[in-house]
Amino acid sequence: MLLEVRDLQVEFRTRDGVAKAVNGVDYSVDAGETLAVLGESGSGKSVTAQAVMGILDMPPGRIGGGEILFRGKDLLKLKEDERRKIRGSEMAMIFQDALSSLNPVLSVGDQLSEMFTVHRGMSRKDAKARAVELMDRVRIPAAKERVGQYPHQFSGGMRQRIMIAMAMALEPSLIIADEPTTALDVTVQAQVMDLLAELRRELDMGLILITHDLGVVADVADKIAVMYAGRIVERAPVHEIYKRPAHPYTKGLLESIPRLDQKGQELYAIKGLPPNLMHIPPGCAFNPRCPMAQDICRTEVPPLFEVGPGRQSACFFWKETLDG
């Protein structure tokens, strides 16, 4: 297994109290595999990824427990200089806001070249040539002429391609893409997702795709983990989860996707708001918003039940949900 996250717990200590952002998360991804991590904003998707990458702000963040195994080695037990060697060369991250992630006063060529001069000890000339190759590889037109341009001179979709080029520069074994299609139009979203899928196949790398949009991952992911209030509430192969969700939250997310056969109808929305992570409700955290909630849901935290081959659901009424 390339990456295994086991019982990960992350909390943020603030003046108002302790926010439990990640509360016992388990997931894994292997080489050549894509795991999509889904959920609304505040569900803990990005915080989990930051903990994996070792870029969590500490303080106020604090890892309260668990293991992050990369090729069998627990990253949480490594010293910072050892983690730094792994970042970029063995695992990399694509951030959702490319404009703020790229340095506005350096050309994109300089930023790409730095990966090779710092990590590979290349000369500036050779590093620039590799930067042009990378820009060609992610299909940026006229890469040789544009390598000296600055981030603001590129469109949103092109900037995201540059971020992908930076992430794959050293051909890491694992890439984490955090909302890589945010603020892009539908056509560009599809191009970016196709590019990530192509690079995953070409490099046989593991890919963790973080998103709130189920529609984005349908043709890319192999398996899905759905997060809510810092926990995994459902895990399943991608096609199974679309056919028959086994958790009311997943079902609500699916029903909120616009469909061509529902033209003119009001779009479904999950009622209420995600919980305050400093005051997570007792029992199942989703119970105040769940149409199927009963007394047991308000008092007991549901474990992840085995509901089928490679499938788990943290719902006491998973059978009823599967049956629709």
Side-chain angles (χ1 to χ4, degrees), residues 296-307:
I296 190 174
C297 307
R298 301 179 183 94
T299 57
E300 296 185 27
V301 178
L304 275 169
F305 296 100
E306 295 289 334
V307 303

Side-chain angles (χ1 to χ4, degrees), residues 19-92:
K20 295 183 178 180
V22 179
N23 195 10
V25 163
D26 298 90
Y27 64 57
S28 64
V29 63
D30 213 342
E33 186 176 58
T34 297
L35 166 69
V37 184
L38 303 175
E40 295 167 289
S41 297
S43 62
K45 310 183 302 295
S46 296
V47 173
T48 303
Q50 290 167 11
V52 170
M53 287 296 299
I55 57 173
L56 191 68
D57 287 334
M58 296 191 294
R62 188 181 78 88
I63 295 178
E67 297 176 307
I68 300 173
L69 304 177
F70 183 71
R71 299 190 186 279
K73 183 185 296 183
D74 190 355
L75 299 181
L76 298 180
K77 294 180 179 178
L78 299 183
K79 295 179 180 178
E80 178 53 31
D81 59 338
E82 295 176 302
R83 292 291 296 270
R84 195 179 296 115
K85 290 177 183 177
I86 292 174
R87 281 196 296 269
S89 60
E90 295 190 58
M91 61 169 61

